[in-house]
Amino acid sequence: MKVIFAGTPEFAAVALQALHEAGFEIPLVLTQPDRPAGRGMHLQPSAVKQYAVAHGMEVLQPLSLRMDAKDPQRAAEAKAAHERLLATDYDVMVVAAYGLILPRSTLDIKPCLNIHGSLLPRWRGAAPIHRAIEAGDAETGITIMQMEEGLDTGPMLLVEHVAIVADDTTGTVHDKLAALGGTMIVQALRKLEQGKLEAVPQPEAGVCYAAKISKDEAALDFNLSAAEISRKIRAFNPFPGACAPVNGVNIKLWAAEVLDADSSVPAGHVVAADSQHGIVVACGRGALRLTELQKPGGKRMPASEFIKAFPLEGQRFA
């Protein structure tokens, strides 16, 4: 089969590599335009573009695929992309974390399959891994679905479950799902070749929307329970990184353990910060032992090293 691939971040690059190594012909790759990144804010290609270029694949980077876009440049690029798709000999489009909406004009050309990082219909939308961890879900997974105009509403083709364990972060779950997604999309296309890929409508019950993560969400509220805060710390690792200020210094919190002991100390106060107890902070219910922290401009440190450079005893996280 000939496959057009559309994706942008590392999650998608893993799937592109899996398709390429499985022997599928990939005549065209769509990815988002290069973006400024790093301290110098130089334009950086996406992970998908890097893989595609390294393996001699043609890359197209339109600003939009909507030919009715109000911005003339976006509309012109969308029209050019549409004409390029019509001129390309392909059997199916595979989409993974592309970041652009596929309009009806694109979906109508050939079948479009999407690699989605959740157990649909739970966590439709942009940030399914973050939201699953933040909500305390016991499991997540990959759904290979047939795309339609609705947001992640299409029928399901393949589903695999993955447990979310106590110390999982968005980073660790991402890596598990990226690898699984690559394996599953190869399986799905093999079944499609054989005419054995069956579509199952999504259940109407249990629909959740995984809103895009904003940097504002990184600020922690210690009036929440220790369990809730712990889930947020894991959900926002590695992006955007949970944080809380101490004496005006914004400290990143990367890992923590939930303690059952309640305290009469106000939420946010550091109950202990020593080599024996670690860094223990009172919460609205229960307490947290912070195990990995980072001050601005510094490196991530275990709590035992952090308190040597940044004493916290008697302080309070605002």
Side-chain angles (χ1 to χ4, degrees):
M1 297 185 73
K2 296 179 181 179
V3 181
I4 286 182
F5 187 86
T8 299
E10 182 63 29
F11 181 89
V14 173
L16 176 59
Q17 179 179 352
L19 291 170
H20 179 242
E21 293 180 349
F24 289 99
E25 184 178 344
I26 304 171
L28 183 64
V29 171
L30 302 180
T31 191
Q32 288 209 40
D34 298 358
R35 306 291 189 195
R39 292 187 176 181
M41 295 302 286
H42 300 298
L43 288 178
Q44 298 290 333
S46 71
V48 163
K49 180 179 179 180
Q50 292 179 50
Y51 185 88
V53 170
H55 293 84
M57 302 174 190
E58 182 181 351
V59 176
L60 197 62
Q61 297 177 271
L63 289 168
S64 174
L65 292 175
R66 302 191 68 92
M67 293 184 286
D68 59 353
K70 294 181 180 179
D71 180 89
Q73 182 180 357
R74 290 176 180 269
E77 290 196 16
K79 182 178 180 182
H82 182 69
E83 291 174 350
R84 181 69 182 84
L85 291 174
L86 291 175
T88 301
D89 178 21
Y90 73 102
D91 302 296
V92 63
M93 178 182 286
V94 169
V95 182
Y98 181 27
L100 294 183
I101 295 174
L102 269 60
R104 171 55 58 189
S105 58
T106 300
L107 297 172
D108 283 345
I109 301 174
K110 292 289 175 69
C112 296
L113 306 189
N114 179 244
I115 308 170
H116 187 73
S118 83
L119 300 173
L120 291 171
R122 187 161 177 79
W123 303 125
R124 295 173 178 172
I129 301 175
H130 296 80
R131 299 307 180 190
I133 294 175
E134 184 183 17
D137 290 4
E139 64 175 1
T140 183
I142 289 288
T143 303
I144 306 295
M145 56 170 285
Q146 184 173 325
M147 295 187 71
E148 57 184 33
E149 284 190 283
L151 179 63
D152 299 327
T153 58
M156 302 179 295
L157 304 170
L158 289 178
V159 179
E160 291 287 348
H161 296 241
V162 172
I164 298 176
V165 298
D167 60 349
D168 263 331
T169 65
T170 288
T172 61
V173 175
H174 167 280
D175 292 349
K176 295 176 190 177
L177 295 187
L180 179 60
T183 299
M184 289 177 64
I185 193 59
V186 170
Q187 294 174 348
L189 294 188
R190 295 294 188 215
K191 287 178 177 288
L192 183 61
E193 285 180 313
Q194 299 164 6
K196 297 180 179 180
L197 195 59
E198 298 183 5
V200 178
Q202 291 187 34
E204 295 183 3
V207 174
C208 296
Y209 177 65
K212 184 177 180 180
I213 299 295
S214 71
K215 290 185 178 181
D216 293 341
E217 294 182 74
L220 296 176
D221 178 4
F222 278 89
N223 289 299
L224 298 174
S225 71
E228 289 175 286
I229 298 171
S230 174
R231 293 199 301 266
K232 287 180 179 291
I233 291 173
R234 294 190 294 117
F236 299 154
N237 181 356
F239 176 84
C243 61
V246 176
N247 286 334
V249 179
N250 208 30
I251 305 297
K252 291 272 190 180
L253 309 178
W254 294 110
E257 299 171 356
V258 177
L259 304 178
D260 292 331
D262 283 319
S263 171
S264 59
V265 177
H269 278 268
V270 178
V271 178
D274 53 54
S275 58
Q276 180 181 357
H277 302 94
I279 301 173
V280 180
V281 184
C283 303
R285 184 169 69 255
L288 277 181
R289 178 180 286 116
L290 306 179
T291 57
E292 188 178 14
L293 306 88
Q294 180 182 13
K295 62 181 181 179
K299 298 180 179 180
R300 295 189 186 190
M301 294 183 178
S304 59
E305 294 297 319
F306 187 85
I307 56 178
K308 293 178 183 178
F310 199 101
L312 287 173
E313 191 167 0
Q315 301 296 321
R316 184 188 180 205
F317 284 93

